[in-house]
Amino acid sequence: MPPPSSIYDRMKVFEEPFAYLVNNANVETFCSYCLRTPEGSKLSKCGGCDFARYCNKDCQRLAWKDHKPECARLKKSFPNLPLTEVLFLSRLMDRVAFLEKNGDRYGWEKDRKWSELLTHEEEIKEDKPKYAHFEKIYSKTLAYHGEDKMIPKEQFFIIFCKAAINSHSIHTNAGTEVGMALDLGVSQYDHSCRPNCTLIFDGFRACLRPLTPDTNASDAKTSFISYIDVGRSRYQRRRDLKSKWYFDCQCSRCLDTDDDILTAIKCSTPGCDEPLITTEDSEPMYIACPKCKNTTEPDVVAKAQEFMRSLPGRFVFNATQEEVNIVEDLLTKAKSMLHPKNIYFCRLQTAYLQMAGEQDALLVTPETQKQVYENYRLCFPKADRHIGYQLLHLVKSLIEKGEREEATTYAYEAMAIFEVCFGLEHPYYLQTLALWTYLDTKADKTNEELIKLMNFNYNRPVNISQLLKGVQLNDAPTPKGVPSGRHQSAEFADSSMARYATVLPLCYDDPAEFMELQ
């Protein structure tokens, strides 16, 4: 039997995690059951604990099997609210206790047994900061449950370890962290810094989508996801993987010497654009430039290495002016030492673009956005959504500069990526499809109307049949403005995709109309 060719045949869907929870900070925004935002109304509070909130009575009813013991504990602990991690571990305790008493009555272990999860108990015991954190969480969980209801410390430690190694965060597709989960099915998949699958969430429902034509996401032995942000250097990736999951990554990307371009420094010859290859943890040495033949001194190399190691792992984008000034200063230093292909330089530039872009219009240019895009291509899989998002930043800057024809090609690339990452019924794909269609057909749209299509505020799947209902469809001609060889996915090769491109702009002019079309 030939392998499945359609993305839909090669996806793997996990309908409900073994245990999950909305973060305390998000409880007023996301439903405590479905982990979605409510449609057209506010969330309703649980009348028992006055903490959990739900879209409607259906969500509250479906949540009760998990929330019932939690509701009683929350009422008892009021007005003290336990940490999100304590509430999550408590849900795991409830679920494990049910399994031990009743067996797998509801098929929770259909993908993997709870007993099969790795714990790394010895490594966590030897990890002083991690074990100190365990002691803190244990004392808080003990106070929350009470000594008469708390399980033995040894049993709790095993649950803590399994949660630490196997749980994952749940995000919206825009990157907002909603909650945390432990999905026994998802836990089967190993990490790669060059993943061939991406994990997409619709509330608590997880969908593993293949990023390459030869990947079947149902095969956990050949499908890989990323546990961390792979848009970084080998040194950073390996450091984070070792500190949380206790393994030294030996994936194909970590063994690829071409990855060292991400930590390249500038040649010391003014005007020479050749990258000098080094890494953050390599021994500083003389580096001869292959282009100009000049030699850069070890102390210059060491200064650049130390600068890279000193940079923060992430930046706060709703920053104060003082924080913006700090990033601006770091970016100035990076320009003097690091090559433009260096990922530290790229991330500093991206951070500054997001923090001060509107204030610094000279920096937000198509050339700058192209540079970030090219760097992203060195880090992320070809069909990764982060590349799609960066392409839209580039499209926006081109539209604002009046270069719509050039923007058309990049809009198409973003659309093709979102088709693979999210699927045909996802609003991110559909909005980008409409954006590309308007650009490609030179529709009479203002810049504001086009840019509005790049504001992704709606996450739920859209019923395509409703969009097309009652509309006479004709086979569309080959789309204009699409570079040769771009029609590679099975879905877009189907004539229905061309029809969607023709019909969709006739059906709506505003992303908000998605909700009305349901």
Side-chain angles (χ1 to χ4, degrees):
M1 180 181 294
S5 58
S6 168
I7 284 182
Y8 293 100
D9 293 332
R10 294 182 287 115
M11 292 190 314
K12 176 70 175 177
V13 176
F14 302 95
E15 293 293 348
E16 186 172 348
F18 184 70
Y20 68 94
L21 189 75
V22 65
N23 291 338
N24 287 357
N26 293 328
V27 75
E28 295 184 4
T29 306
F30 296 93
C31 174
S32 296
Y33 171 69
C34 68
L35 268 59
R36 291 169 162 178
T37 53
E39 291 195 87
S41 61
K42 293 183 178 180
L43 295 169
S44 301
K45 284 186 181 180
C46 169
C49 64
D50 203 35
F51 175 69
R53 289 166 169 78
Y54 302 102
C55 294
N56 47 49
K57 293 292 183 182
D58 288 337
C59 280
Q60 187 170 12
R61 175 178 55 81
L62 292 167
W64 187 240
K65 68 179 185 299
D66 291 325
H67 183 57
K68 182 178 179 180
E70 177 183 76
C71 188
R73 291 192 293 261
L74 285 168
K75 282 196 292 185
K76 190 175 180 179
S77 66
F78 183 84
N80 299 313
L81 177 64
L83 298 171
T84 298
E85 187 175 2
V86 170
L87 294 175
F88 179 64
L89 290 169
S90 297
R91 285 200 170 191
L92 282 172
M93 289 165 55
D94 293 339
R95 184 97 356 152
V96 171
F98 185 92
L99 282 177
E100 291 174 348
K101 182 179 179 180
N102 303 286
D104 189 21
R105 180 185 298 178
Y106 298 110
W108 296 332
E109 296 183 302
K110 63 181 182 298
D111 293 311
R112 192 181 191 185
K113 299 287 186 183
W114 166 260
S115 60
E116 295 174 358
L117 297 183
L118 296 176
T119 61
H120 287 286
E121 292 175 63
E122 294 306 315
E123 289 91 338
I124 290 177
K125 285 179 181 177
E126 294 173 5
D127 185 338
K128 291 183 179 179
K130 183 70 70 67
Y131 195 76
H133 179 67
F134 160 72
E135 292 285 5
K136 170 188 171 183
I137 293 298
Y138 172 72
S139 65
K140 290 184 176 296
T141 308
L142 178 63
Y144 175 49
H145 284 258
E147 292 190 11
D148 58 327
K149 299 288 181 65
M150 185 63 179
I151 62 176
K153 188 174 184 180
E154 299 77 22
Q155 292 181 25
F156 181 74
F157 182 60
I158 292 173
I159 292 175
F160 173 87
C161 292
K162 288 187 175 184
I165 300 300
N166 298 280
S167 61
H168 60 266
S169 58
I170 295 177
H171 291 79
T172 66
N173 296 322
T176 303
E177 187 172 347
V178 177
M180 57 196 308
L182 194 157
D183 193 304
L184 295 175
V186 173
S187 72
Q188 298 177 94
Y189 290 81
D190 289 331
H191 165 83
S192 173
C193 297
R194 193 175 277 156
N196 56 12
C197 289
T198 185
L199 200 57
I200 302 297
F201 295 100
D202 177 17
F204 60 68
R205 184 176 181 266
C207 178
L208 198 61
R209 295 183 63 90
L211 295 176
T212 61
D214 59 346
T215 300
N216 186 344
S218 295
D219 186 353
K221 293 182 179 179
T222 59
S223 300
F224 299 92
I225 59 177
S226 58
Y227 294 178
I228 56 169
D229 175 4
V230 297
R232 295 179 299 165
S233 70
R234 180 192 302 110
Y235 170 83
Q236 292 175 303
R237 302 192 310 266
R238 282 181 164 175
R239 180 194 60 196
D240 288 359
L241 290 166
K242 185 73 171 180
S243 67
K244 181 168 173 57
W245 289 279
Y246 304 101
F247 70 90
D248 297 302
C249 188
Q250 299 293 323
C251 73
S252 61
R253 182 180 168 196
C254 282
L255 298 178
D256 187 351
T257 55
D258 288 346
D259 203 58
D260 293 340
I261 191 68
L262 296 176
T263 48
I265 63 175
K266 292 182 72 172
C267 176
S268 55
T269 301
C272 182
D273 60 358
E274 184 70 15
L276 302 186
I277 303 302
T278 187
T279 61
E280 304 95 312
D281 54 348
S282 61
E283 187 69 26
M285 60 181 67
Y286 291 98
I287 302 179
C289 176
K291 186 175 182 179
C292 72
K293 310 304 179 184
N294 190 24
T295 299
T296 297
E297 299 285 331
D299 60 331
V300 175
V301 176
K303 184 179 179 182
Q305 291 172 325
E306 174 58 32
F307 178 73
M308 288 189 282
R309 292 194 299 266
S310 70
L311 290 173
R314 61 178 60 187
F315 298 92
V316 180
F317 294 133
N318 55 343
T320 64
Q321 186 58 49
E322 182 181 358
E323 290 169 323
V324 172
N325 294 339
I326 291 172
V327 172
E328 184 179 17
D329 181 56
L330 290 172
L331 183 58
T332 300
K333 292 178 181 178
K335 287 178 179 178
S336 69
M337 290 184 279
L338 307 182
H339 191 270
K341 290 185 177 179
N342 185 294
I343 194 60
Y344 289 94
F345 175 80
C346 176
R347 291 177 74 98
L348 273 171
Q349 191 166 242
T350 303
Y352 187 71
L353 282 170
Q354 295 190 37
M355 294 165 71
E358 297 300 322
Q359 304 170 34
D360 195 345
L362 294 177
L363 185 64
V364 188
T365 64
E367 291 70 28
T368 304
Q369 299 290 6
K370 285 177 186 177
Q371 184 178 321
V372 173
Y373 164 57
E374 292 299 331
N375 282 32
Y376 275 24
R377 292 177 65 189
L378 297 173
C379 299
F380 296 104
K382 291 180 180 178
D384 190 276
R385 60 183 179 270
H386 294 89
I387 295 180
Y389 296 146
Q390 179 55 33
L391 281 165
L392 291 184
H393 287 305
L394 174 53
V395 170
K396 180 175 181 287
S397 65
L398 287 167
I399 289 173
E400 290 173 336
K401 198 174 179 181
E403 299 177 4
R404 293 193 179 191
E405 186 170 349
E406 186 178 358
T408 303
T409 297
Y410 294 112
Y412 180 88
E413 289 187 24
M415 179 194 70
I417 287 173
F418 292 156
E419 177 194 341
V420 174
C421 283
F422 299 127
L424 304 181
E425 296 191 340
H426 197 281
Y428 292 11
Y429 165 75
L430 291 171
Q431 288 177 223
T432 311
L433 170 60
L435 171 67
W436 168 69
T437 304
Y438 287 149
L439 288 169
D440 185 58
T441 58
K442 296 180 173 57
D444 184 18
K445 296 290 179 181
T446 65
N447 285 358
E448 290 72 22
E449 288 174 316
L450 294 175
I451 290 171
K452 193 173 184 179
L453 285 167
M454 291 181 267
N455 296 330
F456 295 150
N457 300 314
Y458 190 67
N459 282 282
R460 300 196 185 195
V462 175
N463 188 337
I464 289 290
S465 62
Q466 286 295 101
L467 285 172
L468 303 179
K469 188 176 180 180
V471 179
Q472 181 66 39
L473 294 178
N474 297 306
D475 286 334
T478 301
K480 298 178 293 181
V482 177
S484 174
R486 290 290 169 86
H487 284 250
Q488 296 177 355
S489 70
E491 285 78 3
F492 202 94
D494 188 276
S495 63
S496 63
M497 285 302 305
R499 293 172 179 176
Y500 291 159
T502 304
V503 172
L504 191 61
L506 306 177
C507 296
Y508 74 96
D509 288 307
D510 191 304
E513 289 187 34
F514 278 130
M515 296 180 68
E516 299 175 11
L517 290 165
Q518 295 299 296

